[in-house]
């Protein structure tokens, strides 16, 4: 286990700016808005801001304010942030990101979670915080072999928490982090006190009567799931089938990488017109820049290839193995998937905490950090 500090060579930053300036731009077929993808005018302006105004060194300094480490687990080099609370009785909390996220998306919740006393909260709600980067993402690289699926990552996280000396902890996550955290609850129930997720996928199983008497709200949630399958899931199908082919384009073109990610920040957030309606522009660009500087467009996409079979099984109604630890669910209305409570209870009978919010989307830690922090605290109080 080695201390880690981000220190990107200046030559890499100069190369990024040069590549943005040399972008070969496509045509656009009229004013179609976001219907066919990221609008040309929007992306040109954002790319120019990235080239001339965005300050990676400021972002780097902000990230380096928190202790980071790397360690070898099961043949992978795992990067993680580890922030100990000043409160001696703090409970350990392991938070996992997803795609296209990174550990950087949790910067706004680090202080409130680890030191609530300094942020107007109750010190009894304090956590020791561990935020790893999934193998193949960001600074958890290079990824040297295949097979890093959800169960393997969950086993690695259990091993990481043992190495750090945490005999009891809470697992939390959204997107892939939700799936990994739930699997961690199945893998390590003797040490996982509970699992809190801010995204939960619920699929109909096809059983008779399962969808009878649905409310209008639940019908809308099913329609949202159908729209994802027919229109919004193209990225996932490509990464789940041909991640290597995709990686050549995204690893060579920073504007291509930017467009690939920023589209998701537009579609999955509580934004009116552009992603910056929901998330600070510089924070968004920090997430994109980490993917670019670490050249992890391809290795992060392989996560979807490794898990493709599990997703197909879930969508066909095959239920995951039982989870026995308490589970808390935070539902944000503009997430990709908005779960149906009756299907969630069918799949996870140990749900003890369920909160429906009136605003927010997929990237809760960046969109609504205060709401997410409060909900994690509320769930964890029953576990302390």
């Amino acid at each position: 286990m080695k201390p880690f500090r981000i220190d990107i060579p200046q030559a890499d930053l100069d190369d990024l700016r040069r590549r943005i300036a040399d972008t070969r731009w496509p045509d656009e077929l009229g004013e179609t808005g976001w219907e066919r993808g990221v609008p040309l005018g929007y992306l040109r302006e954002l790319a120019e801001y990235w080239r001339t105004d965005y300050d990676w060194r400021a972002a780097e300094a902000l990230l380096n304010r928190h202790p980071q480490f790397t360690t070898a687990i099961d043949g992978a080099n795992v990067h993680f942030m580890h922030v100990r609370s000043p409160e001696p009785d703090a409970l350990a909390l392991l938070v996992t990101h997803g795609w296209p996220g990174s550990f950087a998306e949790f910067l706004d919740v680090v202080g409130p979670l680890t030191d609530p006393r300094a942020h107007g909260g109750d010190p009894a709600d304090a956590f020791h915080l561990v935020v790893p980067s999934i193998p193949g993402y960001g600074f958890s690289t290079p990824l040297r072999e295949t097979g890093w699926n959800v169960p393997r990552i969950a086993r690695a996280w259990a091993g990481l928490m043992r190495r750090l000396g945490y005999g009891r902890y809470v697992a939390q996550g959204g997107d892939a982090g939700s799936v990994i955290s739930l699997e961690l609850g199945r893998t390590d129930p003797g040490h996982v006190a509970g699992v809190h997720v801010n995204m939960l996928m619920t699929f109909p199983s096809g059983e008779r009567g399962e969808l009878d008497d649905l409310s209008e709200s639940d019908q809308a949630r099913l329609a949202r799931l159908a729209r994802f399958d027919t229109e919004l899931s193209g990225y996932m199908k490509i990464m789940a089938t041909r991640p290597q082919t995709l990686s050549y384009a995204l690893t060579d073109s920073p504007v291509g990488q930017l467009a690939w990610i920023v589209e998701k920040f537009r579609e999955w957030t509580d934004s009116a017109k552009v992603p910056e309606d929901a998330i600070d522009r510089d924070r968004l660009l920090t997430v994109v820049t980490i993917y670019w500087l670490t050249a992890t467009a391809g290795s992060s996409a392989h996560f979807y290839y490794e898990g493709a079979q599990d997703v197909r099984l879930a969508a066909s109604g095959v239920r995951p193995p039982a989870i026995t630890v308490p589970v808390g669910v935070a539902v944000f209305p503009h997430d990709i998937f908005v779960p149906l409570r009756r299907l969630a209870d069918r799949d996870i009978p140990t749900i003890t905490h369920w909160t429906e919010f009136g605003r927010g989307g997929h990237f809760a830690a960046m969109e609504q950090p205060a709401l997410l922090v409060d909900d994690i605290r509320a769930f964890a109080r029953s576990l302390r």
Side-chain angles (χ1 to χ4, degrees):
M1 194 169 292
K2 303 176 181 178
F4 178 82
R5 184 174 179 82
I6 304 170
D7 185 15
I8 299 299
Q10 185 59 42
D12 291 357
L13 302 179
D14 295 340
D15 177 67
L16 169 60
R17 295 188 181 98
R18 178 189 61 78
R19 287 172 179 265
I20 295 172
D22 291 344
T23 299
R24 185 185 183 200
W25 293 95
D27 291 331
E28 186 175 48
L29 300 179
E31 297 293 332
T32 58
W34 290 78
E35 293 178 2
R36 300 185 181 218
V38 184
L40 178 60
Y42 170 80
L43 195 64
R44 273 185 175 275
E45 190 275 327
L46 181 61
E48 184 62 12
Y49 178 88
W50 192 17
R51 186 181 75 86
T52 60
D53 293 342
Y54 171 74
D55 187 350
W56 166 257
R57 292 303 183 198
E60 190 177 66
L62 190 61
L63 293 167
N64 282 331
R65 287 173 55 188
H66 303 298
Q68 297 166 60
F69 304 85
T70 59
T71 189
I73 304 178
D74 191 16
N77 179 60
V78 174
H79 161 265
F80 62 99
M81 181 168 61
H82 184 202
V83 184
R84 294 276 299 179
S85 171
E87 305 297 337
D89 296 327
L91 179 63
L93 175 65
L94 172 67
V95 177
T96 307
H97 65 86
W99 184 90
S102 77
F103 81 106
E105 68 187 85
F106 302 107
L107 286 175
D108 292 337
V109 303
V110 172
L113 287 173
T114 59
D115 193 4
R117 187 192 303 268
H119 292 81
D122 185 346
D125 288 328
F127 296 96
H128 300 306
L129 187 61
V130 180
V131 187
S133 298
I134 296 172
Y137 284 71
F139 300 103
S140 283
T141 47
L143 193 64
R144 301 187 183 280
E145 59 183 2
T146 62
W148 276 98
N149 57 13
V150 167
R152 187 173 179 182
I153 295 168
R155 292 192 298 270
W157 282 189
L160 174 61
M161 295 305 276
R162 284 195 300 271
R163 290 187 190 183
L164 294 173
Y166 294 122
R168 187 170 183 267
Y169 60 96
V170 176
Q172 200 283 331
D175 194 85
S178 167
V179 181
I180 293 167
S181 296
L182 289 168
E183 182 63 26
L184 189 52
R186 300 183 186 99
T187 299
D188 197 22
H191 301 97
V192 175
V195 177
H196 181 279
V197 298
N198 57 277
M199 187 198 82
L200 184 66
M201 294 182 289
T202 55
F203 298 101
S205 66
E207 296 177 0
R208 179 177 295 180
E210 181 181 50
L211 302 179
D212 289 350
D213 303 319
L214 285 182
S215 66
E216 288 187 10
S217 173
D218 279 351
Q219 291 177 28
R221 293 178 183 195
L222 279 181
R224 189 178 187 89
L225 177 62
R227 179 173 180 248
F228 176 82
D229 183 55
T230 58
E231 181 186 345
L232 303 180
S233 61
Y235 78 97
M236 184 173 68
K237 292 172 182 176
I238 292 173
M239 296 199 294
T241 57
R242 298 295 186 270
Q244 187 63 36
T245 304
L246 174 69
S247 70
Y248 298 115
L250 301 188
T251 306
D252 187 61
S253 168
V255 169
Q257 178 71 94
L258 177 64
W260 189 247
I261 290 179
V262 78
E263 179 183 81
K264 305 312 160 197
F265 278 87
R266 167 62 167 72
E267 293 177 342
W268 300 351
T269 58
D270 190 359
S271 59
K273 294 182 179 179
V274 294
E276 295 94 317
D277 291 338
I279 295 174
D280 176 77
R281 171 175 277 201
D282 283 0
R283 184 62 51 80
L284 189 160
L285 287 172
T286 294
V287 172
V288 176
T289 306
I290 289 174
Y291 278 88
W292 173 259
L293 293 174
T294 57
T296 49
S299 55
S300 63
H302 280 281
F303 172 86
Y304 284 80
Y305 188 95
E306 301 291 354
Q309 178 63 19
D310 292 335
V311 172
R312 285 193 291 269
L313 289 174
S316 66
V318 177
R319 299 177 186 177
I323 183 170
T324 58
V325 303
V327 173
V329 182
V331 181
F332 291 90
H334 295 276
D335 205 341
I336 317 171
F337 305 101
V338 184
L340 278 67
R341 180 66 191 263
R342 69 168 69 176
L343 300 185
D345 287 333
R346 176 205 66 192
D347 295 339
I348 308 174
T350 57
I351 293 175
T352 60
H353 177 92
W354 183 281
T355 308
E356 301 252 354
F357 293 102
R359 62 187 186 277
H362 189 65
F363 302 94
M366 291 188 285
E367 292 184 67
Q368 298 294 338
L371 294 181
L372 181 63
V373 166
D374 286 347
D375 203 65
I376 294 171
R377 288 173 176 172
F379 171 66
R381 286 180 195 130
S382 66
L383 310 175
R384 292 181 183 269

